[in-house]
């Protein structure tokens, strides 16, 4: 959990449980990829730097080493924050699921640019099943995922936990070109992020619109095969490749941008949607269930078909011309049994 949304989940969880444990008779031990990256108090860190070097290492830890470690630690609660249910000995076991590829039908493009997406879409289906029913509760991020789990894995002990938005209070505003409309798409360059629909939409626009905006993308040359493909196939001057950003820099862009574009075909949540909404910024998003559930009740959002660049081109035109009529969105699911912040999750983990 070292980059992207999953890194944010890990960091937010540690930050919040650090505060939660401060005045409680609670010992927290966090198993992390690199213990030197975290300094939140009230937590004991154990680092596993080899865990990201290969999947064999990760499988060894999850299904062999962690059982030995759990016998030494003797935990009351084992909270697996990264999708799979390891072999461990604990009074209660929980798993937090946020890897979307089991719901994704990979294409040739996915295999071409990052074979891991194709492998994960097959492998994760089986890894998810291992020990799944040994958990007290399975946490998922959205209601549609809960429904999929109930059908696919025949389990009912599922709780929906919306990721809690935690902002950087001291993030500085990024200086962007004030003579242009600034769209922003924070992403790790992977094929399902669907950057090409933005490029194809831009190609449909007249120069009178093209010259009035830019789109900032958080990848650069050499970051990935897919990123290189985008940069080579679509050398359009509206794209501003800014490379990877820190979380604080990302929030700086949210402050400065005019609008978020989020065309991703695959997310279990889509944190930038929550983050842009928290900053009360306009959103143009994929017309998919995850996006509508993430956005929830919000008036400054419109959706487009992820396979139809004409729809996005029209939305960009209307936004640039300041004539856009946002579709808006309303939550259509029952929230009464959801856990909507980390403290609620921790209370649930620890209740008798």
């Amino acid at each position: 959990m070292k980059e992207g949304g999953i890194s944010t989940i890990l960091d937010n969880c540690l930050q919040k449980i650090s505060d939660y444990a401060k005045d409680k008779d609670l010992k927290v031990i966090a198993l992390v990829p690199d213990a030197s990256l975290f300094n939140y108090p009230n937590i004991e860190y154990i680092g596993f730097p080899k865990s990201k070097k290969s999947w064999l290492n990760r499988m060894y830890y999850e299904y062999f080493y962690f059982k030995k470690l759990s016998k030494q630690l003797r935990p009351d609660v084992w909270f697996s924050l990264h999708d799979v249910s390891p072999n461990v000995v604990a009074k209660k076991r929980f798993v937090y699921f946020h890897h979307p590829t089991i719901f994704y039908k990979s294409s040739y493009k996915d295999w071409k640019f990052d074979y891991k997406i194709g492998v994960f879409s097959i492998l994760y289906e089986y890894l998810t099943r291992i020990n799944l029913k040994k958990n007290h509760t399975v946490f998922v991020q959205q209601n549609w995922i809960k429904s999929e789990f109930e059908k696919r894995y025949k389990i009912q002990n599922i709780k929906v936990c919306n990721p809690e938005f935690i902002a950087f209070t001291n993030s500085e505003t990024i200086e962007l070109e004030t003579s242009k409309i600034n769209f922003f798409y924070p992403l790790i360059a992977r094929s399902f992020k669907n950057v090409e629909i933005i490029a194809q939409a831009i190609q449909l626009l007249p120069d009178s619109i093209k010259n009035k905006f830019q789109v900032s993308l958080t990848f650069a040359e050499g970051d990935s095969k897919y990123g290189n493909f985008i940069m080579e196939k679509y050398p359009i001057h509206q794209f501003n490749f800014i490379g990877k950003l820190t979380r604080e820099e990302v929030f700086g862009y949210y402050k400065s941008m005019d609008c978020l574009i989020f065309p991703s075909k695959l997310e279990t949540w889509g944190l930038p949607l929550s983050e842009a909404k928290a900053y009360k910024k306009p959103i143009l998003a994929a017309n998919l269930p995850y996006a509508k559930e993430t956005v929830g009740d919000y008036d400054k959002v419109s959706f487009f078909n992820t396979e139809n660049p004409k729809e996005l081109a029209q939305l960009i035109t209307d936004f640039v011309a300041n004539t856009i009529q946002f579709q808006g969105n309303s939550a259509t699911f029952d929230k009464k049994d959801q856990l909507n912040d980390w403290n609620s999750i921790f209370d649930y983990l620890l209740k008798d």
Side-chain angles (χ1 to χ4, degrees):
M1 305 178 72
K2 297 180 75 172
E3 59 184 5
I6 59 173
S7 176
T8 301
I9 293 294
L10 173 59
D11 188 74
N12 287 353
C13 179
L14 293 176
Q15 179 182 342
K16 298 300 286 189
I17 205 169
S18 171
D19 293 336
Y20 183 88
K22 183 165 50 180
D23 300 318
K24 295 180 174 63
D25 183 20
L26 183 64
K27 181 178 182 180
V28 180
I29 302 171
L31 314 182
V32 296
D34 186 347
S36 69
L37 297 178
F38 304 99
N39 59 5
Y40 298 118
N42 310 312
I43 301 174
E44 176 185 332
Y45 299 95
I46 303 176
F48 293 88
K50 294 181 181 178
S51 62
K52 289 293 288 183
K53 290 186 176 180
S54 78
W55 262 85
L56 289 177
N57 287 348
R58 184 182 171 193
M59 294 302 98
Y60 167 72
Y61 289 133
E62 298 281 10
Y63 300 118
F64 298 96
Y65 181 78
F66 282 170
K67 185 169 187 178
K68 176 182 175 181
L69 181 62
S70 68
K71 289 180 178 179
Q72 295 173 1
L73 300 178
R74 301 174 64 190
D76 296 294
V77 171
W78 187 286
F79 183 26
S80 181
L81 198 60
H82 199 351
D83 307 314
V84 300
S85 305
N87 289 327
V88 295
V89 177
K91 291 181 182 178
K92 289 196 292 185
R93 296 155 63 172
F94 301 84
V95 63
Y96 184 102
F97 185 89
H98 53 84
H99 200 293
T101 53
I102 66 169
F103 309 112
Y104 184 60
K105 186 176 181 180
S106 56
S107 65
Y108 168 76
K109 183 180 70 174
D110 299 314
W111 286 91
K112 176 182 177 181
F113 292 118
D114 187 353
Y115 72 92
K116 291 181 182 178
I117 295 173
V119 172
F120 285 175
S121 65
I122 299 170
L123 179 63
Y124 248 60
E125 167 72 23
Y126 298 99
L127 292 180
T128 301
R129 291 182 185 276
I130 298 174
N131 298 326
L132 183 65
K133 294 185 178 181
K134 294 181 180 180
N135 291 294
H136 176 281
T137 304
V138 176
F139 298 113
V140 299
Q141 292 183 329
Q142 293 198 331
N143 284 273
W144 73 268
I145 302 175
K146 178 183 178 182
S147 297
E148 286 291 329
F149 261 73
E150 289 172 342
K151 295 174 188 175
R152 190 173 300 201
Y153 299 117
K154 311 301 181 186
I155 60 173
Q156 298 298 317
N157 57 326
I158 308 171
K159 279 279 187 183
V160 176
C161 309
N162 295 162
E164 181 180 359
F165 173 74
I166 301 174
F168 279 90
T169 56
N170 61 342
S171 58
E172 296 183 2
T173 301
I174 302 295
E175 294 294 330
L176 296 176
E177 192 172 344
T178 57
S179 63
K180 292 183 180 294
I181 299 293
N182 289 282
F183 293 97
F184 182 45
Y185 183 18
L187 75 154
I188 296 173
R190 292 174 179 157
S191 54
F192 59 83
K193 293 295 185 177
N194 197 24
V195 177
E196 54 263 64
I197 194 172
I198 303 177
Q200 291 162 4
I202 291 171
Q203 290 175 331
L204 297 173
L205 299 174
D207 289 341
S208 59
I209 297 296
K210 286 182 182 178
N211 295 332
K212 293 180 180 179
F213 72 91
Q214 66 177 6
V215 183
S216 295
L217 303 160
T218 57
F219 63 90
E221 186 176 0
D223 284 357
S224 70
K225 289 182 179 179
Y226 177 68
N228 290 344
F229 161 75
I230 292 295
M231 298 180 80
E232 292 170 6
K233 184 169 182 179
Y234 302 104
I236 51 183
H237 71 268
Q238 287 80 16
F239 277 167
N240 178 28
F241 298 102
I242 57 179
K244 295 179 181 178
L245 303 178
T246 65
R247 289 293 294 158
E248 186 173 359
E249 288 170 334
V250 169
F251 285 112
Y253 267 88
Y254 288 137
K255 283 184 178 181
S256 303
M257 74 175 186
D258 295 296
C259 182
L260 178 77
I261 297 183
F262 203 77
S264 177
K265 295 181 178 180
L266 178 66
E267 305 286 333
T268 49
W269 184 254
L271 280 173
L273 295 169
S274 296
E275 293 162 349
K277 178 182 174 181
Y279 280 94
K280 298 180 172 55
K281 293 301 181 82
I283 298 170
L284 306 181
N287 189 14
L288 292 171
Y290 83 81
K292 293 190 172 182
E293 187 165 342
T294 299
V295 170
D297 295 319
Y298 197 52
D299 57 350
K300 292 194 291 187
V301 61
S302 286
F303 300 95
F304 57 89
N305 186 321
T306 57
E307 303 293 339
N308 190 340
K310 288 183 179 180
E311 288 188 16
L312 179 56
Q314 187 62 56
L315 289 173
I316 292 173
T317 298
D318 293 343
F319 188 87
V320 171
N322 198 28
T323 58
I324 191 167
Q325 298 291 319
F326 289 106
Q327 298 168 12
N329 190 62
S330 298
T332 57
F333 44 85
D334 188 354
K335 294 183 177 182
K336 68 179 181 180
D337 200 35
Q338 289 187 184
L339 301 173
N340 294 315
D341 56 65
W342 284 109
N343 284 353
S344 297
I345 294 175
F346 303 147
D347 286 342
Y348 183 86
L349 294 175
L350 297 172
K351 73 178 182 180
D352 293 333

